[in-house]
């Protein structure tokens, strides 16, 4: 597990700012919805908590989107989520139901914060939950049943393991996809280089053949030789045209085709 965390930490340390903004906005929206639900249920302490958290995450999203204090916003985002989850754990929230929200933390954290940081945050929250549930501190908060006290941390860490394995699989498949894309790009570039070199190497001798046929046609030769030489010249020019078309297609694929704006004779083009 240690090697896995070290490897993932190197590869996924660069968290996308867009993902963080989306995660903050999503958490803000969920908190605002729960604030409305708590108002209808008359849980006024939860109304204050969810309202403050909604504004907190909205401010975090604004900080991520409009300032360069990315690390500070990242820490504030994790701190807000941690405080809210611990409040749910200790007080029980809505008659003990709010502890279920802790099960949403691992998948949400690993999606918004990347596998490494999401796993780290989930483990910190899980350790805090174990300290509260399995020590005398349990008597200071909401009176959960004995089954909740013993089994809920086990269920939570099972969800953490499942989410981390799933996210790591996604990470592996993404790496394989990037490898295949790089190979395809390399193969396409090599194909373009081959077409360009082939076109150049074939076009040079073909120009020589067409030119020599032109010189022969200027000589005093028999009609049969002139006809054969003319056929060779005509075929050579057709082949040169095909080679030029291949070279043009390779330039289009490579993004190197240049369009020139010049006047032209439409009648000649139609002919």
């Amino acid at each position: 597990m240690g090697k896995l965390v070290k490897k993932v930490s190197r590869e996924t340390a660069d968290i996308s700012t867009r993902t963080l903004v989306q995660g903050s906005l999503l958490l803000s929206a969920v908190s605002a919805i729960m604030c409305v639900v708590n108002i209808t249920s008359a849980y006024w302490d939860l109304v204050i908590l969810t309202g403050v958290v909604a504004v907190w995450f909205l401010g975090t999203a604004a900080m991520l989107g409009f300032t360069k204090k990315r690390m500070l916003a990242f820490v504030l985002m994790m701190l807000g989520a941690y405080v809210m989850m611990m409040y749910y754990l200790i007080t029980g929230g809505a008659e003990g139901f709010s502890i279920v929200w802790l099960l949403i933390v691992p998948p949400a954290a690993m999606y918004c914060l990347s596998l490494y940081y999401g796993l780290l945050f989930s483990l910190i929250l899980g350790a805090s939950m174990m300290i509260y549930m399995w020590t005398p501190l349990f008597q200071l908060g909401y009176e959960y049943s004995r089954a909740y006290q013993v089994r809920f941390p086990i269920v939570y860490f099972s969800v953490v393991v499942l989410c981390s394995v799933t996210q790591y699989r996604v990470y592996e498949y993404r790496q394989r996809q990037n490898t295949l894309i790089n190979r395809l790009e390399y193969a396409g570039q090599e194909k373009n280089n081959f077409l360009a070199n082939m076109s150049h190497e074939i076009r040079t001798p073909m120009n020589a053949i067409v030119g020599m046929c032109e010189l022969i046609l200027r000589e005093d030769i028999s009609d049969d030789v002139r006809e054969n030489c003319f056929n060779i010249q005509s075929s050579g020019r057709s082949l040169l045209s095909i080679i030029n078309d291949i070279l043009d297609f390779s330039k289009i694929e490579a993004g190197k085709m240049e369009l020139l704006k010049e006047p032209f004779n439409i009648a000649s083009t139609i002919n």
Side-chain angles (χ1 to χ4, degrees):
M1 190 69 178
K3 292 182 178 179
L4 170 64
V5 172
K6 289 181 180 179
K7 179 179 179 181
V8 175
S9 65
R10 290 194 301 267
E11 299 293 338
T12 61
D14 185 18
I15 304 175
S16 172
T17 302
R18 177 183 296 180
T19 303
L20 288 175
V21 172
Q22 291 176 350
S24 298
L25 292 176
L26 179 61
L27 291 173
S28 178
V30 172
S31 300
I33 293 173
M34 291 309 301
C35 182
V36 175
V37 173
N38 291 325
I39 291 175
T40 59
S41 303
Y43 292 109
W44 301 112
D45 57 336
L46 294 180
V47 170
I48 297 174
L49 174 67
T50 52
V52 170
V53 170
V55 175
W56 180 283
F57 284 122
L58 187 62
T60 302
M63 185 178 294
L64 286 167
F66 300 103
T67 67
K68 296 182 179 180
K69 298 180 179 180
R70 185 162 167 255
M71 184 54 66
L72 177 60
F74 174 67
V75 173
L76 291 176
M77 179 180 179
M78 297 181 68
L79 180 61
Y82 180 82
V83 171
M84 181 171 63
M85 292 299 107
M86 289 303 297
Y87 182 85
Y88 284 157
L89 174 66
I90 296 172
T91 64
E95 300 178 3
F97 174 82
S98 297
I99 192 176
V100 179
W101 286 101
L102 273 71
L103 297 179
I104 303 178
V105 170
M110 292 179 194
Y111 170 77
C112 298
L113 306 178
S114 81
L115 174 57
Y116 173 69
Y117 289 109
L119 178 60
L120 180 61
F121 179 76
S122 300
L123 291 177
I124 292 174
L125 182 61
S128 301
M129 178 173 54
M130 289 178 59
I131 293 173
Y132 174 75
M133 285 287 202
W134 294 350
T135 64
L137 293 174
F138 179 74
Q139 301 175 1
L140 302 178
Y142 185 81
E143 295 183 1
Y144 295 99
S145 65
R146 181 63 179 173
Y148 262 88
Q149 182 183 1
V150 175
R151 299 174 184 271
F152 190 83
I154 299 175
V155 174
Y156 175 84
F157 278 102
S158 299
V159 175
V160 171
V161 172
L162 179 61
C163 291
S164 60
V165 172
T166 303
Q167 287 293 329
Y168 184 69
R169 290 298 183 187
V170 173
Y171 167 78
E172 280 189 331
Y173 289 134
R174 187 180 295 115
Q175 291 296 104
R176 293 179 185 177
Q177 182 184 30
N178 292 334
T179 301
L180 291 175
I181 291 174
N182 292 334
R183 289 179 180 177
L184 290 174
E185 291 178 350
Y186 177 77
Q189 185 63 36
E190 289 299 314
K191 182 196 70 173
N192 293 334
N193 294 335
F194 169 76
L195 290 175
N197 294 331
M198 179 201 70
S199 300
H200 176 73
E201 296 298 332
I202 296 178
R203 188 166 49 184
T204 299
M206 287 306 303
N207 283 326
I209 294 173
V210 172
M212 293 302 296
C213 289
E214 182 66 27
L215 293 177
I216 294 173
L217 290 173
R218 294 178 182 178
E219 300 293 333
D220 186 13
I221 54 178
S222 63
D223 292 340
D224 292 338
V225 174
R226 183 177 298 278
E227 183 178 359
N228 292 334
C229 188
F230 180 79
N231 290 334
I232 294 173
Q233 186 184 49
S234 177
S235 299
R237 287 175 176 172
S238 298
L239 183 58
L240 274 176
S241 178
I242 295 174
I243 293 172
N244 289 331
D245 291 340
I246 294 175
L247 185 60
D248 289 340
F249 280 118
S250 65
K251 286 183 178 180
I252 292 173
E253 291 184 357
K256 297 181 179 179
M257 173 62 71
E258 296 181 359
L259 300 179
L260 301 179
K261 185 178 180 180
E262 293 183 354
F264 66 97
N265 190 333
I266 188 170
S268 176
T269 302
I270 293 175
N271 290 332

